[in-house]
Amino acid sequence: PNWLVTRDPMNEIEPQILKSTNDTLDFVGNFTNSLQWKRSPDDRYDPYTPEKRFQVNDNQKDQSKKSVESVIPTPLFIDITKTDDIIDMTQDVWDVFFHRGAQNEAGILAKELGSRMLLTRPPDPDHKYIELTIHKELSLDIPDTLVFKSKTEGYQIDINPRSPTIEIIGQSPAGVFCGVQTFLALKRKFNDKLPIIMVKDAPRFPYRGVMLDVARNFVTVDGVKKLLDVMASYKMNAFHFHLTDD
């Protein structure tokens, strides 16, 4: 309350309080119907009540602790279980075994790890490898309350120290690529010592872009390549290269 209006103090005019805000806020009240906040018939926004806002944040309190140890953007679902069993990526060589369609993504991962690409599953049961699979019908069991638009870039990661295999499954090559980027982020976050981790994720938006304006700002070729690498690590998929202005 008590909003006021004033002008140049050199004129020695006292500030005047707006009568509609004087002392009380009786003119402020609760919404009585949706027309008071809907901007159009198609507007899906509904304001949170204090109770609803509490419920939303209360449901996220346990997940928020895990997301600190997670990646950016935060996956739709991630479960991290810390036990005495870990995968120490510095102690063993993890090769990359890929199924049909995931060769490019396997090449990216193998290059990052300095490991080999395998066309067939290793016969030795103790051979440690990361398996990349494309499964178009992969079900992520994501709650209906979590809205996302990409239906082909979903992926799942299963890391278990008791298994010699790390699984990355995507709904498409793009999904596998997103899974590879999340795995590399987790590897960095845990300093190559991975606990039990399960990730289920899919991009919220189909278009995730960055614009680089070289018409006004000069950037080296290496700078452009570095930007593309950073974009990939954040799972961004559209590069707007603004070359000229006429």
Side-chain angles (χ1 to χ4, degrees):
N2 295 329
W3 287 60
L4 56 86
V5 178
T6 186
R7 57 179 296 180
D8 189 346
M10 295 301 290
N11 292 331
E12 299 181 355
I13 297 178
E14 293 292 330
Q16 300 295 314
I17 294 177
L18 299 176
K19 290 184 178 180
S20 62
T21 68
N22 189 13
D23 295 329
T24 66
L25 293 176
D26 294 337
F27 62 94
V28 177
N30 294 325
F31 290 134
T32 57
N33 65 78
S34 62
L35 295 178
Q36 292 176 293
W37 69 78
K38 295 290 187 183
R39 293 164 292 185
S40 72
D42 298 326
D43 190 347
R44 299 175 60 188
Y45 170 74
D46 289 305
Y48 281 160
T49 63
E51 294 80 9
K52 179 62 176 179
R53 190 176 296 279
F54 175 83
Q55 292 173 3
V56 170
N57 290 307
D58 188 57
N59 291 338
Q60 295 296 321
K61 64 182 180 181
D62 294 332
Q63 187 70 14
S64 63
K65 296 179 181 178
K66 296 175 181 178
S67 66
V68 173
E69 303 170 330
S70 182
V71 293
I72 300 174
T74 303
L76 293 174
F77 172 84
I78 179 168
D79 184 69
I80 301 172
T81 305
K82 290 187 176 180
T83 65
D84 292 335
D85 293 330
I86 62 170
I87 292 176
D88 190 342
M89 302 290 292
T90 64
Q91 297 296 319
D92 299 296
V93 176
W94 287 78
D95 292 323
V96 181
F97 166 51
F98 63 94
H99 292 265
R100 183 178 180 180
Q103 180 175 352
N104 292 336
E105 292 68 33
I108 293 170
L109 181 57
K111 183 178 179 180
E112 288 287 337
L113 300 178
S115 58
R116 298 178 300 169
M117 295 170 58
L118 306 178
L119 294 172
T120 57
R121 192 185 305 276
D124 184 355
D126 294 325
H127 191 131
K128 293 179 170 55
Y129 61 93
I130 302 171
E131 183 173 0
L132 306 185
T133 307
I134 296 175
H135 182 22
K136 294 182 179 179
E137 304 302 322
L138 174 66
S139 176
L140 299 174
D141 297 324
I142 296 173
D144 293 336
T145 54
L146 296 175
V147 179
F148 65 98
K149 305 213 176 195
S150 177
K151 303 295 184 183
T152 60
E153 297 176 274
Y155 65 91
Q156 176 177 304
I157 301 175
D158 188 1
I159 302 173
N160 191 332
R162 299 185 180 91
S163 171
T165 305
I166 295 174
E167 294 184 346
I168 300 177
I169 306 173
Q171 294 172 326
S172 66
V176 175
F177 180 84
C178 290
V180 167
Q181 296 302 321
T182 295
F183 170 77
L184 292 173
L186 289 168
K187 179 176 174 291
R188 290 190 295 268
K189 187 65 182 179
F190 286 99
N191 296 319
D192 294 320
K193 296 176 175 58
L194 298 170
I196 299 173
I197 303 176
M198 170 63 76
V199 178
K200 296 181 180 181
D201 191 22
R204 280 75 158 175
F205 306 100
Y207 185 98
R208 307 177 299 279
V210 166
M211 184 187 82
L212 178 62
D213 183 354
V214 295
R216 299 175 181 84
N217 306 280
F218 295 105
V219 181
T220 65
V221 173
D222 289 339
V224 175
K225 291 179 178 179
K226 183 176 181 180
L227 175 61
L228 293 173
D229 288 337
V230 172
M231 283 181 59
S233 69
Y234 290 117
K235 309 176 187 71
M236 306 186 83
N237 63 353
F239 180 53
H240 180 156
F241 205 3
H242 194 78
L243 293 172
T244 64
D245 274 332
D246 296 330

